Amino acid sequence: MKEVNNMLKLIVYGSSSKGNCYVLSNNDTSIMLDCGIKNLQKHIDLKAINGVILTHLHTDHTKGVKDIKDYYMGKFYGNKETLDILPTIQEYKECIEDMQKIEIGTFSIVGFSLEHDVPCLGYLIKDNISGCKLLYCTDTGQIDYSFNDIDFFLIESNCDEDTLDYSDYKQKRLYNTHLSMQQCWNFVENNVNINTKNVILCHISSGEENYLKHEEYIKSKLNDENINVVAIDPHLKHPLEIVLKHDIDINFD
């Protein structure tokens, strides 16, 4: 009798305007989602990373590339505008077009355009071992797509639009280029489904005095005990591990 543990997990290294970086792993493959934290080589075994996927060119999503480029020998994926500014040679870059599907190990990934002030991609990621799907959307004023079978949402909830000062340029920009807590809920409400297990709220503004209100707000709106809602601390000091799926298969052969 052989016991096999199948695990899908997400490790958060940073999630705010100061820097964003996540590593999604199953039993076979690990991919990095954004690389906006410096000196990641001190915290991550980069030899175990099979691909680095970037949403857009802003430094809170890319500034770690300079540090890891001499340690990580795999490819960087993203739109052309993002890849053009990366301080690494062309052979390590692979462009993703809108609605293009790529394969990295046992993950299938589709990039799709978001509405930011620079070209930006969201990603639909399928774990081909479990069949589960994760949706990663951040830095967007809106999401022009619908999804009907998402297991895990990793989605921006940047600010509370009820507390913004719209006469202030920076706060007005936040509303126009990032999902507010209310916009996040509108999207989740229209896309949550019977398969949904986690809603992970990311890229909360570091200026938010109470980041947990985002979690409480989405929980109260969902009113579903079967869906775990987690708001990521924008001042995260240590990596946060979130187990998305953990199955034990027993082979009697």
Side-chain angles (χ1 to χ4, degrees):
M1 184 172 67
K2 183 180 180 182
E3 185 180 285
V4 180
N5 288 296
N6 295 320
M7 182 180 291
L8 181 65
K9 66 181 179 180
L10 182 76
I11 301 179
V12 184
Y13 291 91
S15 182
S16 74
S17 55
K18 294 182 179 179
N20 299 271
C21 181
Y22 315 86
V23 172
L24 180 67
S25 302
N26 59 25
N27 286 44
D28 178 85
T29 305
S30 293
I31 56 175
M32 184 182 293
L33 306 175
D34 280 325
C35 188
I37 304 294
K38 290 187 174 182
N39 297 314
L40 282 166
Q41 70 275 10
K42 296 180 180 180
H43 309 284
I44 299 174
D45 177 9
L46 293 170
K47 293 179 181 178
I49 301 297
N50 301 100
V52 176
I53 304 168
L54 305 169
T55 54
H56 64 293
L57 58 79
H58 286 154
T59 56
D60 58 323
H61 296 261
T62 60
K63 65 187 173 187
V65 172
K66 182 178 180 180
D67 294 322
I68 73 168
K69 68 181 180 64
D70 294 328
Y71 302 90
Y72 167 69
M73 295 295 105
K75 286 190 175 182
F76 295 88
Y77 302 82
N79 58 39
K80 182 180 184 302
E81 292 81 2
T82 302
L83 297 182
D84 282 348
I85 64 101
L86 294 187
T88 186
I89 59 177
Q90 190 62 39
E91 67 180 278
Y92 293 118
K93 302 176 184 181
E94 185 167 325
C95 186
I96 300 177
E97 304 288 348
D98 182 32
M99 301 308 296
Q100 179 184 351
K101 179 182 176 182
I102 64 168
E103 306 283 344
I104 301 178
T106 51
F107 287 114
S108 298
I109 302 156
V110 177
F112 54 92
S113 294
L114 295 175
E115 299 291 333
H116 199 36
D117 51 5
V118 297
C120 184
L121 291 173
Y123 293 101
L124 175 61
I125 304 167
K126 181 179 180 181
D127 167 27
N128 291 315
I129 293 178
S130 67
C132 291
K133 294 179 182 178
L134 178 140
L135 186 73
Y136 178 40
C137 288
T138 187
D139 290 65
T140 183
Q142 62 186 45
I143 304 172
D144 295 326
Y145 303 92
S146 294
F147 303 86
N148 58 16
D149 57 353
I150 301 302
D151 298 274
F152 314 109
F153 291 83
L154 178 57
I155 185 169
E156 178 176 52
S157 178
N158 187 270
C159 55
D160 178 358
E161 61 187 55
D162 291 338
T163 64
L164 289 178
D165 177 2
Y166 294 92
S167 66
D168 180 272
Y169 170 78
K170 289 184 178 180
Q171 294 195 39
K172 185 176 180 180
R173 176 187 174 273
L174 279 182
Y175 178 72
N176 289 330
T177 62
H178 294 75
L179 286 183
S180 68
M181 180 175 72
Q182 291 83 358
Q183 291 168 315
C184 173
W185 163 244
N186 287 340
F187 177 78
V188 170
E189 179 183 25
N190 291 323
N191 291 272
V192 72
N193 62 88
I194 194 171
N195 296 321
T196 302
K197 303 169 187 66
N198 293 73
V199 176
I200 303 165
L201 307 176
C202 66
H203 209 309
I204 296 173
S205 172
S206 54
E208 285 284 82
E209 293 183 0
N210 178 16
Y211 77 94
L212 287 175
K213 74 178 178 181
H214 293 248
E215 183 177 304
E216 294 162 1
Y217 177 82
I218 301 297
K219 276 183 178 178
S220 67
K221 292 288 189 179
L222 271 173
N223 193 28
D224 188 335
E225 294 182 355
N226 294 317
I227 300 176
N228 186 35
V229 181
V230 177
I232 303 173
D233 185 350
H235 303 288
L236 192 68
K237 291 182 171 58
H238 303 285
L240 171 67
E241 180 176 307
I242 302 172
V243 175
L244 301 175
K245 187 174 178 63
H246 188 194
D247 296 328
I248 297 176
D249 294 335
I250 298 177
N251 186 347
F252 289 94
D253 295 334

